[in-house]
Amino acid sequence: MLRPGDFRPAANLAPDAFDVVVIGSGMGGLSAALVLAKEGFKVCVLEQHYRPGGCLHRFFRKRVPFETGFHYLGGVGPDGTLTRYLRFMGVYDKLTFQPLDPDGFDVLHYPEFSFRVPNGWGPLVQRLLETFPGERAAIERYAAVCQEICRSSAGHSFQTPEMTLGNYSNVSLGGFLESLSMSSRLKAAVSGQGLLYGTPPERTPLEAHALVIDSMLQGASGIRGGGDALAKAMVDAIRAQGGVVRTRTRVTGLQMEDGSVSAATLHTGEVLRGRHFISNAHPKATLKLLPEGVLRPAYVHRVESLREGVSCIGGFFTTEDRSVPRLHNIYSFPTEDLDEVYRSAVFGAGRKGPKAMFLSFPGDRDSDWSGPRVVLCLGLMAYEEVARFEQTQTGKRGEEYNEFKEQLGQELQACVEALVPDLAGKLKRVEVSTPLTHRDYTGAPRGAIYGVDHALDQWGKYALQPRTRIPNLMFTGQNVLLPGVVGVTISAFITCGLLLGFDYLFKKVAQS
């Protein structure tokens, strides 16, 4: 097995051979490919879809763009975590960021109160103190611990810890907030953005919560041109470094030789040889590409036993009404008990009562867009709701499935119009997605929008590592670390650090 820093570009590779073959063009795969291409490696990215970017890419209906998985990002302030990574990769200046409302980029709606989340820990703490004046000690302790967790993560902050607050690797967000004797309402205010990683507070690693929320507080923003613009900038940069990015290219198998992966077999029968392979595809799907028996049963069982995270239903709407522009997102919950939200406030056949929802208004943050206003709604949905259709294909699921989608689409629309009354009667429902939609377009088992469940029992020492049991095959992406653009970007750099050396790579990023 290579030690960090031992991997070097090879000379005189054949045309069908590469130093590194990357499977999947999500942000994790593109980042890994670009880092290695910049270091002089001959790199090839293979993407089965007709557009690169994974969940970054958009789909179009009558030339109107709709985001699939990219809604907004954080870490793009002047010295933000993502800013440094994008600058190092040479794409930051190729993008035009559209900042969300700094005084409230996310608005949390509960039955009895609302809370606007501002940029920055200082403004957030101040607003929390103004809203919950009797809970100063709990608020200040919560903010201090979250910030120290982030400072202690070299890949997130590029800093050395300034003080010791204890080991929080085995602490849940819910347990930590309970230890601070927070009121239920304050807990709701600091936990409401948990839909960004998809686990209830009782199972959320405190470290994961801190890292995700900190990145958003660094500067929440959209991008002109949406996720497509980020994917295009990454692909252009890879190609400028001599790398190859191929779409409509599905990997059907990985060939082995002397205990290592030697080549990728494509759906066309073509074979591409590689010295090293990085998979941005789901780990379970990746293992299915390998010949049977090359991995120990215990390792295969461990990967296949990983619990998948939440899945969702999506509603994609347009409206001609532009009277109330919204440079913020809305998180709506029917109860302040966010653990209960994941159990009961979900969409599905026969499920009654109010639902939890996320609303975004991507067109409102793109000054170049002059077409219909786009409204996006996401709601939690269990995969079991669509399991009976899992043997069907997109566009060929049958009338029963279409009726199921129509019924839920109507419910979604009614929920949106109830939450945003100024749009009542003005929305046109363009498309509805289900967990099967996400499964088929991304290859995520059970349509899990964030991949494996990022819960405490699958975190830290229990998490899937970038290294596999095959010396030249590694994982990257949201299944390795965290979801979101920041999380998958850091995961790619951690994966590349195993090849290039962590100190070498992260020092270069910190100086960018």
Side-chain angles (χ1 to χ4, degrees):
M1 182 175 291
L2 285 169
R3 293 176 301 177
D6 285 351
F7 195 50
R8 297 286 188 272
N12 304 318
L13 284 170
D16 66 340
F18 296 86
D19 288 310
V20 182
V21 175
V22 179
I23 303 169
S25 71
M27 186 63 184
L30 292 176
S31 297
L34 181 49
V35 168
L36 295 170
K38 283 172 60 67
E39 292 294 318
F41 293 94
K42 185 180 177 185
V43 175
C44 179
V45 181
L46 304 175
E47 170 57 51
Q48 66 177 352
H49 199 53
Y50 67 89
R51 299 173 72 87
C55 288
L56 290 177
H57 87 259
R58 302 186 292 181
F59 70 90
F60 292 80
R61 294 290 184 269
K62 297 182 178 179
R63 299 185 178 181
V64 178
F66 296 90
E67 300 286 354
T68 56
F70 174 86
H71 311 303
Y72 68 130
L73 48 69
V76 291
D79 197 34
T81 298
L82 187 59
T83 295
R84 294 197 187 192
Y85 283 110
L86 295 179
R87 281 179 177 159
F88 171 78
M89 292 188 289
V91 300
Y92 182 82
D93 293 334
K94 308 296 183 184
L95 302 166
T96 300
F97 296 96
Q98 308 279 352
L100 302 189
D101 184 352
D103 190 50
F105 62 89
D106 283 344
V107 178
L108 313 179
H109 277 298
Y110 295 94
E112 303 297 329
F113 82 108
S114 294
F115 185 80
R116 297 177 62 86
V117 181
N119 277 348
W121 279 104
L124 174 62
V125 169
Q126 183 60 37
R127 182 156 297 167
L128 288 170
L129 290 172
E130 292 169 355
T131 310
F132 307 96
E135 302 191 64
R136 175 178 290 274
I139 292 168
E140 292 181 345
R141 180 63 176 171
Y142 162 78
V145 169
C146 285
Q147 290 176 86
E148 179 57 23
I149 287 171
C150 295
R151 282 192 293 269
S152 299
S153 171
H156 185 86
S157 68
F158 313 102
Q159 296 182 31
T160 301
E162 298 177 357
M163 55 182 164
T164 301
L165 291 178
N167 182 4
Y168 290 96
S169 296
N170 298 312
V171 176
S172 72
L173 172 64
F176 176 65
L177 300 184
E178 189 68 27
S179 74
L180 299 179
S181 300
M182 280 190 176
S183 66
S184 61
R185 190 156 296 180
L186 176 54
K187 290 178 186 176
V190 300
S191 305
Q193 293 163 289
L195 290 181
L196 288 166
Y197 45 74
T199 53
E202 63 187 1
R203 296 195 295 110
T204 295
L206 176 60
E207 290 181 332
H209 170 83
L211 292 167
V212 171
I213 299 306
D214 182 81
S215 70
M216 288 303 175
L217 294 176
Q218 290 178 23
S221 180
I223 297 177
R224 182 181 297 174
D228 274 342
L230 177 54
K232 181 180 185 303
M234 297 290 290
V235 170
D236 288 349
I238 292 169
R239 289 172 173 162
Q241 295 289 339
V244 174
V245 179
R246 295 177 56 174
T247 56
R248 302 180 188 271
T249 307
R250 181 165 54 88
V251 177
T252 58
L254 294 174
Q255 300 180 15
M256 299 290 295
E257 184 177 323
D258 297 328
S260 296
V261 180
S262 59
T265 304
L266 309 184
H267 72 287
T268 59
E270 182 183 357
V271 175
L272 291 180
R273 290 180 290 153
R275 298 172 58 216
H276 212 93
F277 293 77
I278 297 175
S279 179
N280 190 201
H282 196 287
K284 295 178 184 177
T286 303
L287 295 197
K288 287 181 171 58
L289 299 175
L290 293 165
E292 189 173 353
V294 301
L295 288 170
R296 293 180 179 177
Y299 180 75
V300 174
H301 175 74
R302 177 171 179 266
V303 173
E304 291 181 344
S305 298
L306 288 170
R307 187 177 60 256
E308 297 300 316
V310 297
S311 51
C312 74
I313 184 171
F316 303 86
F317 307 92
T318 59
T319 180
E320 298 298 332
D321 186 293
R322 295 179 177 273
S323 59
V324 185
R326 290 177 170 85
L327 293 176
H328 61 263
N329 307 294
I330 299 175
Y331 292 77
S332 177
F333 304 100
T335 173
E336 295 171 17
D337 183 348
L338 294 178
D339 293 310
E340 181 61 29
V341 162
Y342 285 83
R343 291 188 286 266
S344 63
V346 298
F347 287 85
R351 287 186 172 270
K352 305 298 183 182
K355 309 295 194 297
M357 295 188 302
F358 167 80
L359 266 69
S360 183
F361 308 86
D364 291 12
R365 62 194 66 157
D366 192 338
S367 58
D368 288 345
W369 178 244
S370 59
R373 186 181 183 196
V374 175
V375 180
L376 168 70
C377 174
L378 297 176
L380 297 171
M381 172 180 273
Y383 180 76
E384 283 71 21
E385 296 287 344
V386 294
R388 65 186 184 276
F389 306 109
E390 65 183 359
Q391 300 303 318
T392 62
Q393 297 178 348
T394 300
K396 301 177 182 179
R397 302 201 195 278
E399 189 58 32
E400 183 184 358
Y401 178 78
N402 293 336
E403 292 176 358
F404 173 79
K405 278 181 58 175
E406 175 63 23
Q407 175 187 349
L408 289 172
Q410 292 177 9
E411 184 180 3
L412 267 176
Q413 185 164 343
C415 289
V416 174
E417 293 183 352
L419 181 61
V420 190
D422 57 277
L423 295 179
K426 302 175 184 178
L427 291 177
K428 177 183 178 182
R429 189 168 70 255
V430 177
E431 188 59 85
V432 175
S433 67
T434 74
L436 289 180
T437 313
H438 191 78
R439 182 201 67 174
D440 289 354
Y441 279 105
T442 68
R446 298 174 62 85
I449 58 175
Y450 298 134
V452 300
D453 191 10
H454 299 284
L456 196 59
D457 63 342
Q458 296 188 157
W459 176 257
K461 64 181 180 180
Y462 306 109
L464 185 71
Q465 301 301 313
R467 287 195 190 276
T468 72
R469 299 300 183 181
I470 296 174
N472 69 334
L473 173 64
M474 295 193 297
F475 296 129
T476 197
Q478 66 178 6
N479 296 288
V480 173
L481 185 63
L482 282 171
V485 175
V486 176
V488 298
T489 300
I490 295 176
S491 82
F493 276 75
I494 291 174
T495 300
C496 290
L498 292 169
L499 297 176
L500 304 176
F502 293 100
D503 289 344
Y504 168 80
L505 182 56
F506 282 95
K507 283 180 180 178
K508 293 182 72 171
V509 178
Q511 295 167 1
S512 63

